[in-house]
Amino acid sequence: MSIRVTYHGHACFTIEGGGAKLLIDPFLSGNPQADIGPEEVEADYILVSHAHGDHLGDTVAIARRTGATVISNHEIATYCAAQGLNSHGLHIGGGYQFPFGRVQLTIAHHGSSFPDGSYGGNPAGFLLTIEGRTIYFAGDTGLTYDMKLIGEKGIDLAILPIGDNYTMGPDDALRAVELLQPRLVVPFHYGTFPVIEQDPAAFATRVVAKTGIECRVLKPGESLTLA
Ligand code: NI
Ligand code: MN
């Protein structure tokens, strides 16, 4: 079995593995990078890292159409349940064994208000264990030394923000790679808006030169396979 990871631009990924299709942070409507629309994307589970509009995005509409279960912090899960959606709430540090694999919420240093300004709980990243592979999706976060602890478990793929302004920029993301020591790095959260314009290829070159760790830049619509 292998795990397939597809980038849809900004913070949105599809991860196929463990017999399920996971959609992360489906900001598709209004996302200039999106390669797929909210009316056509498929999902069994939707993982939402925090309530900001560029992450919660089209979650409600997609979950309503597909019947997907929303996995997020307690506040976002409760918000989704109140709208009649299937949801499962977790909190930072907590994990749960789903049919496809384990999801644990990790610390993200960021904010998490809903688009209307109401409280969205704590922002998070995701540590996913699927088919014996470990994927760390950092979410919107600054650099944190907790990444060293997360990396000690052994990470196959680390998905890290590099946009700066709202999250880590390339310099701190490079330090995150050094703390995490993953097998593979994929950058995200760049290029969507002028304030987060970055050169992902230059970042990838720096990662390889400094750490010897492979860094793959995915264009929206592009996939990689974790063997
Ligand atoms: Ni955010
Ligand atoms: Mn964001």
Side-chain angles (χ1 to χ4, degrees):
M1 295 291 280
S2 62
I3 299 170
R4 189 175 165 86
V5 178
T6 305
Y7 188 43
H8 300 301
H10 196 61
C12 185
F13 289 83
T14 295
I15 296 177
E16 293 162 90
K21 196 172 259 199
L22 281 54
L23 184 63
I24 298 179
D25 286 356
F27 164 52
L28 300 173
S29 303
N31 176 357
Q33 292 191 332
D35 67 300
I36 193 165
E39 68 291 331
E40 54 182 335
V41 73
E42 290 301 331
D44 300 307
Y45 296 87
I46 303 174
L47 281 63
V48 181
S49 67
H50 64 294
H52 287 164
D54 60 319
H55 298 263
L56 182 66
D58 301 292
T59 294
V60 172
I62 297 167
R64 186 158 285 144
R65 175 176 59 80
T66 60
T69 297
V70 178
I71 301 173
S72 191
N73 69 26
H74 170 75
E75 289 80 3
I76 295 170
T78 301
Y79 165 87
C80 290
Q83 304 194 48
L85 306 175
N86 300 316
S87 71
H88 185 114
L90 298 164
H91 262 310
I92 305 290
Y96 184 79
Q97 186 70 35
F98 293 89
F100 61 83
R102 182 174 165 85
V103 178
Q104 186 175 11
L105 293 201
T106 58
I107 281 181
H109 290 299
H110 194 65
S112 179
S113 49
F114 282 97
D116 69 359
S118 60
Y119 178 62
N122 288 310
F126 300 112
L127 191 61
L128 308 174
T129 310
I130 304 169
E131 296 178 19
R133 298 280 180 268
T134 302
I135 299 173
Y136 172 53
F137 174 86
D140 280 14
T141 186
L143 180 68
T144 155
Y145 202 66
D146 290 57
M147 290 170 178
K148 185 167 173 19
L149 282 176
I150 292 167
E152 284 172 0
K153 289 183 149 184
I155 305 290
D156 292 292
L157 167 63
I159 303 176
L160 302 175
I162 64 162
D164 215 346
N165 197 83
Y166 302 114
T167 69
M168 296 188 284
D171 291 355
D172 278 353
L174 182 56
R175 296 171 72 195
V177 173
E178 292 180 287
L179 292 175
L180 288 160
Q181 292 291 317
R183 281 177 49 219
L184 175 64
V185 176
V186 168
F188 79 101
H189 212 276
Y190 60 85
T192 323
F193 318 113
V195 292
I196 58 171
E197 205 58 60
Q198 295 294 342
D199 181 346
F203 172 71
T205 300
R206 289 178 69 194
V207 168
V208 175
K210 186 92 187 277
T211 68
I213 293 167
E214 187 186 352
C215 179
R216 283 277 306 274
V217 176
L218 296 179
K219 294 188 194 75
E222 207 176 344
S223 301
L224 65 80
T225 300
L226 284 181

